Amino acid sequence: MAGLLKWLVLAMGGACVAIGAFHFALGIDSVPGEGSAGATVDSRERYYGAVFLGYGLAWLWAARQSPIPATVVRWLAGIFLLGGLGRLLSMAVHGPPQWFQIALTVLELALPPLYFLLAGADERAAADRPSPRRAERVSLDE
């Protein structure tokens, strides 16, 4: 389970960095189904792209920790879930968006429970591994 968690955290981080960079670079042109929305919406899209890139870097930071901190994974997954709930709210108010946004909503609602389930896997695995000091003491006691 710890290996799966590591892979999923790395994949999430890499995907978010790539998506954030894409939105930052292309602005409103990065949004499927959108035409020209003007400078204000383009500016907002690029700002959100930078924030999403930073969110991805937070996932990558978590993946590089040993063990991967469960609390950080839960917070990051919770933020992702909140984004999916925001999309549901938008659908309730404005109706369904372009099909790709619906697919993203499914991911944003389906992945967080998996992250919540796996969040503590690396910490549990680390607690089960003998530390070098503990192994040294055991061999001295024998």
Side-chain angles (χ1 to χ4, degrees), residues 70-142:
T71 301
V72 173
V73 171
R74 288 185 188 108
W75 272 101
L76 292 171
I79 292 166
F80 199 60
L81 178 61
L82 189 59
L85 294 174
R87 288 191 197 266
L88 284 180
L89 178 60
S90 178
M91 286 182 211
V93 172
H94 297 285
Q98 197 259 0
W99 71 269
F100 189 68
Q101 303 299 315
I102 295 171
L104 291 174
T105 304
V106 171
L107 286 174
E108 293 157 357
L109 298 174
L111 285 177
L114 180 59
Y115 281 109
F116 293 144
L117 178 71
L118 295 174
D122 201 31
E123 288 180 350
R124 285 190 300 274
D128 291 343
R129 275 180 257 157
S131 71
R133 280 193 154 142
R134 199 165 62 197
E136 187 178 291
R137 269 183 276 161
V138 170
S139 65
L140 291 176
D141 292 337
E142 293 174 355

